[in-house]
Amino acid sequence: MLNEVERWLSTRSWSVTDRPLHRVLAAKRSSGQSVSVVLPALNEEETVGEIVAVIRHDLMAQVPLVDEIVVVDSGSTDRTSEVAAAAGATVVHRDEILPRIPAVPGKGEVLWRSLLVTRGDVVCFVDADLKEFSSDFVLGIVGPLLTDPGVDLVKAMYDRPLGTELDSLASGKTAGQGGRVTELMARPLLNMHWPQLAGFVQPLGGEYAARRSLLERLPFPVGYGVELGMLVDALHLVGLDALAQVDVGVRKHRHQDGQALGRMSAAIYRTAQLRLARGHLIRPALTQFERGAEGFEPRTYSVDTEERPPMTEIEEYVERKAA
């Protein structure tokens, strides 16, 4: 590990307990900054309501840390929107945001568009499939941005159990494992090509917060490559010392099957490749296999290659900001 990364780990890796709530609130009052929480959601009716309710109760009703909660629904076919609204979130459909540019499927697309329907100086992203959610996830990653002017982006770090504790013990796995795409794809890529980012425990985690002034200058890969792309681009734009991570405990969520993880890995690899050599021709497709009636059958999926430009290049955003 680079000496720079070892130093970064000692100065930019914290625990949620390092910044008590009263200290974070005092910093928010003195700075006058506002905080938006965004949940990108697709068919998450089972979990989105509890997440919204916990944030509203702990960080809006009890204390004024969060100023708005926005759920961006990217085309749910279940009751995600109704459940989120009933819990107290502002719900906006992806396709209603910036209709001039037709939306494409993908998580990064939703996060990019969310900048147009939020107002916070600090924007906090939280995945909508978390179980047993704690408001420490938000407090932990928002805290450094309110207390430390030199920090621009904060990622949550946590244990990710792959199954139950009993399952983990029975299989000989530790309870902290579970970030399969991280360990098999993202971490090797970062260590080999961007070793300054090797200290991030959960580089692909969906819980992170950043200053709007940084987010609006970043391009957004439209799919699963958004987290890796954002880290790499933020490193080049603001430097390693402006990035940080906070330990918030344990993250429990729905796990995807191996083929879904393969498609995710391909998108992440493509995002990395674009940043290593833009314009280099690589076939943006992934073929996987499923057993059918006549044996293994190929299924080919396109890999996300489109990216949205920095929001400061979007006329509607510039006009809204000037208003």
Side-chain angles (χ1 to χ4, degrees):
M1 182 176 289
L2 298 177
N3 290 336
E4 181 182 6
V5 177
E6 291 185 354
R7 177 191 57 77
W8 179 84
L9 282 169
S10 66
T11 60
R12 286 291 186 266
S13 291
W14 298 298
S15 167
V16 64
T17 58
D18 290 335
R19 288 173 178 77
L21 178 58
H22 66 84
R23 179 185 167 195
V24 175
L25 288 171
K28 182 176 188 282
R29 285 193 297 268
S30 64
S31 67
Q33 297 179 88
S34 55
V35 176
S36 299
V37 175
V38 173
L39 279 72
L42 176 63
N43 295 329
E44 304 294 357
E45 67 176 359
E46 294 184 3
T47 51
V48 68
E50 180 182 355
I51 297 171
V52 170
V54 168
I55 297 172
R56 280 195 61 84
H57 176 270
D58 293 358
L59 303 180
M60 296 181 79
Q62 296 293 314
V63 296
L65 181 62
V66 172
D67 297 283
E68 62 176 350
I69 306 175
V70 177
V71 171
V72 182
D73 191 329
S74 59
S76 298
T77 56
D78 65 1
R79 299 181 61 253
T80 291
S81 291
E82 294 88 337
V83 171
T90 298
V91 179
V92 185
H93 195 282
R94 175 200 61 199
D95 297 347
E96 298 172 353
I97 307 170
L98 197 62
R100 175 176 64 84
I101 301 177
V104 298
K107 180 182 180 182
E109 177 83 354
V110 173
L111 301 185
W112 181 71
R113 289 175 187 265
S114 75
L115 297 181
L116 268 164
V117 292
T118 54
R119 294 283 183 177
D121 303 299
V122 171
V123 182
C124 173
F125 299 118
V126 176
D127 281 350
D129 66 342
L130 302 189
K131 303 174 182 177
E132 301 177 28
F133 179 78
S134 167
S135 58
D136 280 351
F137 274 74
V138 175
L139 173 62
I141 56 181
V142 165
L145 294 164
L146 297 176
T147 61
D148 296 81
V151 175
D152 287 327
L153 184 149
V154 183
K155 297 218 56 147
M157 56 178 168
Y158 33 66
D159 292 314
R160 291 185 61 187
L162 185 55
T164 65
E165 189 75 21
L166 185 60
D167 292 338
S168 298
L169 291 173
S171 63
K173 300 174 182 177
T174 64
Q177 293 178 343
R180 292 165 287 174
V181 176
T182 291
E183 300 304 330
L184 297 175
M185 175 59 70
R187 199 176 307 286
L189 281 172
L190 292 176
N191 276 264
M192 288 187 292
H193 299 298
W194 297 280
Q196 287 177 293
L197 298 174
F200 277 94
V201 175
Q202 296 289 355
L204 301 185
E207 289 68 49
Y208 49 98
R211 300 190 191 281
R212 178 177 294 272
S213 57
L214 170 62
L215 293 172
E216 65 187 13
R217 291 184 288 159
L218 295 176
F220 277 61
V222 298
Y224 284 120
V226 62
E227 274 84 23
L228 183 135
M230 191 176 295
L231 266 186
V232 170
D233 293 340
L235 173 68
H236 291 303
L237 199 59
V238 296
L240 182 60
D241 282 343
L243 313 180
Q245 61 185 352
V246 174
D247 187 349
V248 296
V250 178
R251 182 187 197 264
K252 298 180 180 180
H253 66 116
R254 183 186 69 253
H255 292 285
Q256 303 198 49
D257 63 35
Q259 293 207 338
L261 296 179
R263 296 190 290 274
M264 188 183 303
S265 297
I268 290 165
Y269 178 80
R270 176 61 173 170
T271 298
Q273 184 274 331
L274 285 172
R275 281 153 178 76
L276 288 168
R278 289 189 180 273
H280 182 65
L281 182 61
I282 288 183
R283 178 174 175 261
L286 174 72
T287 298
Q288 298 176 318
F289 294 86
E290 297 178 3
R291 185 182 290 279
E294 300 180 2
F296 285 103
E297 300 174 355
R299 300 284 189 273
T300 299
Y301 302 88
S302 62
V303 176
D304 296 319
T305 59
E306 188 171 357
E307 297 195 3
R308 296 306 190 188
M311 193 56 81
T312 50
E313 297 179 13
I314 299 299
E315 180 181 351
E316 290 89 339
Y317 184 83
V318 174
E319 291 175 353
R320 193 203 70 161
K321 195 173 181 181

